Amino acid sequence: MKMNQKLLLTAALIAAGIVSADAANTIYLTGSSAFRGNCYNVLAAAAPTGPWDAAPDMAIRGSSTASKASYMLFHGNIGGTETFVSCYWSGSEAGIASVAGNNIDNDGSPLPGAPATFMKTDGTVSYTVSSSNPSGAELEATSRNADLSMADTSKDVSLSSAFTLHDFGKVGIVPFTWVKNYQSTPLTAWNHLTNITHEQIRVLLGFPQVAAFFTGNTGDTNNVFPIGRNKGSGTRVNTLADCGYGITKPVVQFSINGIPFSGVGDASTLTEVDNNGYESGGDVAKALRVDGTQTATDLLGGTGYIAVGYLGTGDAIASADAGNNLGALTVANNWLALNGVMESDGAIEEGQYSMWGNEHLYGANGISGYKLDFGVAFRSLVASSLGGSDPAAHSGGINLSYMHASKETDLAAPTRL
């Protein structure tokens, strides 16, 4: 075949999508927003703690704190081969659905993130950090199913349980906690609210409750509203499973400043969203950081309300952003004990605290080649990077080697090993 004929054939194959004009390897990773900080720690590192030959280029969108961003793009060489890893942290359920190719209804609308729209892997995205989401020019023109997904629960209890996936195995433990919102001038009832029980959670998720229901103090008359996640969230699945509410039973949840969270925090924007919720834990944290709920009128006609929500520990600690009327979330001021026990690595490891899940890595059915190899290496790297050695810590993920308790199923209570 003559050279010009070869060039014409190659051009035709590229146009048909059979041959890629870009020789770089590309991997699309999605799933758990609660575990994204642990993934970032590995993806941002060169070997031996990360997959890269040298420190990678990084484009971060959606948060000024890189490890909490919804969009991450990494570029470098792996084993001498140019590689892009594009991440969109849509939630565990949405992530499983994405690798499975399953379209899920989210109360009348398609579940966001399944499939997902990722940042481009063609070298045109600027390697910078921005609190804004990607521009249209930085996103691929169409959505796609992911190659790999992190998941806070197993596929067995997912909305995509009927689909066949490649199971890379357990990665570690992902912890969660209940958090009350920020108030610069706290209500008396807010000060009294320090603990929540499984029984109280089951009632709260059906309808807002007066604070006295949680505190036992008849003078605590302010109303308490739950802020939560949509059906694409593994944090939501773990929360509903942990308290015994039922993971497919509809809830009544609320938003502050809309879904997705937008603009300067305004406590008067409390809205009932029923079985819907936020796509990411980062947006739940922003809603809980809005100041002014102590004086705002709530949806039941009360003056001053309290918001509580469920979060991965990585999102449950957040610094203040006074310019956007967002306060800080801290362990000491905002985290609630669950059934009288505060979250800590030691409480999870010894079976005292129940609100946690087994983190899994799943791949698309039939995944092969460099994508399969990356998945195997990535699971091992993330697993070895996790915490757990300090019982007093609040790690975003715990290494399985420290666990003296286990959950036999996603719905089971912890039992001692």
Side-chain angles (χ1 to χ4, degrees):
M1 183 180 293
K2 295 181 180 179
M3 181 61 68
N4 64 337
Q5 290 175 314
K6 290 182 179 179
L7 292 173
L8 289 171
L9 176 58
T10 300
L13 291 173
I14 291 172
I18 298 172
V19 172
S20 174
D22 185 355
N25 289 343
T26 57
I27 298 160
Y28 295 94
L29 173 61
T30 188
S32 170
S33 66
F35 214 70
R36 70 191 185 279
N38 300 306
C39 295
Y40 169 83
N41 292 339
V42 168
L43 291 169
T49 56
W52 308 98
D53 299 348
D57 304 315
M58 295 185 292
I60 304 297
R61 301 292 184 269
S63 176
S64 57
T65 303
S67 62
K68 295 186 178 184
S70 296
Y71 294 86
M72 303 175 185
L73 176 65
F74 303 87
H75 168 256
N77 286 343
I78 297 179
T81 300
E82 184 182 16
T83 303
F84 289 89
V85 179
S86 190
C87 308
Y88 176 55
W89 305 109
S90 58
S92 299
E93 278 284 353
I96 292 175
S98 181
V99 295
N102 184 20
N103 296 316
I104 294 175
D105 176 77
N106 186 49
D107 293 334
S109 300
L111 184 67
T117 304
F118 293 87
M119 284 200 287
K120 291 179 177 178
T121 59
D122 59 3
T124 62
V125 178
S126 175
Y127 297 118
T128 56
V129 176
S130 173
S131 59
S132 300
N133 284 331
S135 67
E138 293 178 320
L139 292 171
E140 294 187 338
T142 58
S143 59
R144 65 168 71 234
N145 292 322
D147 302 308
L148 299 167
S149 178
M150 304 299 304
D152 302 334
T153 50
S154 74
K155 183 181 76 72
D156 297 341
V157 296
S158 80
L159 299 171
S160 304
S161 59
F163 289 75
T164 299
L165 298 177
H166 184 96
D167 187 354
F168 288 90
K170 293 180 183 178
V171 180
I173 301 302
V174 54
F176 305 98
T177 184
W178 279 87
V179 179
K180 63 181 177 181
N181 68 318
Y182 173 83
Q183 292 187 351
S184 58
T185 308
L187 295 164
T188 299
W190 186 97
N191 285 324
H192 290 164
L193 178 55
T194 59
N195 180 68
I196 194 167
T197 69
H198 284 159
E199 293 81 2
Q200 291 166 346
I201 293 168
R202 292 197 295 268
V203 175
L204 176 67
L205 291 172
F207 195 79
Q209 298 296 311
V210 67
F213 175 65
F214 305 95
T215 69
N217 189 319
T218 57
D220 293 339
T221 58
N222 303 97
N223 293 312
V224 180
F225 295 82
I227 309 293
R229 300 283 301 278
N230 68 15
K231 291 164 63 176
S233 164
T235 303
R236 169 173 163 150
V237 172
N238 268 285
T239 299
L240 300 184
D242 176 63
C243 72
Y245 185 86
I247 59 177
T248 61
K249 182 180 176 181
V251 298
V252 178
Q253 297 185 142
F254 296 80
S255 69
I256 302 174
N257 249 69
I259 296 176
F261 187 94
S262 61
V264 176
D266 180 357
S268 70
T269 60
L270 182 70
T271 303
E272 183 177 337
V273 296
D274 297 323
N275 199 37
N276 199 2
Y278 289 101
E279 187 176 349
S280 76
D283 272 2
V284 173
K286 288 178 183 176
L288 292 175
R289 290 163 62 200
V290 173
D291 194 15
T293 64
Q294 62 270 25
T295 57
T297 301
D298 68 36
L299 298 176
L300 300 178
T303 299
Y305 68 90
I306 302 168
V308 298
Y310 44 89
L311 289 167
T313 54
D315 287 315
I317 299 175
S319 59
D321 180 359
N324 288 306
N325 195 37
L326 303 180
L329 298 179
T330 67
V331 176
N333 292 332
N334 302 93
W335 289 25
L336 300 178
L338 176 64
N339 300 318
V341 180
M342 283 295 294
E343 191 279 341
S344 70
D345 288 8
I348 290 174
E349 292 161 10
E350 301 305 327
Q352 298 173 307
Y353 183 88
S354 64
M355 196 175 172
W356 54 268
N358 289 299
E359 190 71 20
H360 299 257
L361 177 63
Y362 289 108
N365 186 32
I367 190 172
S368 61
Y370 71 85
K371 295 178 187 285
L372 176 64
D373 293 340
F374 178 87
V376 171
F378 183 64
R379 191 213 70 81
S380 179
L381 288 168
V382 175
S384 63
S385 73
L386 300 178
S389 61
D390 178 3
H394 305 279
S395 301
I398 297 175
N399 192 300
L400 292 171
S401 65
Y402 295 109
M403 292 297 294
H404 299 143
S406 68
K407 290 184 177 181
E408 294 187 8
T409 70
D410 295 285
L411 303 178
T415 56
R416 293 281 298 178
L417 293 174

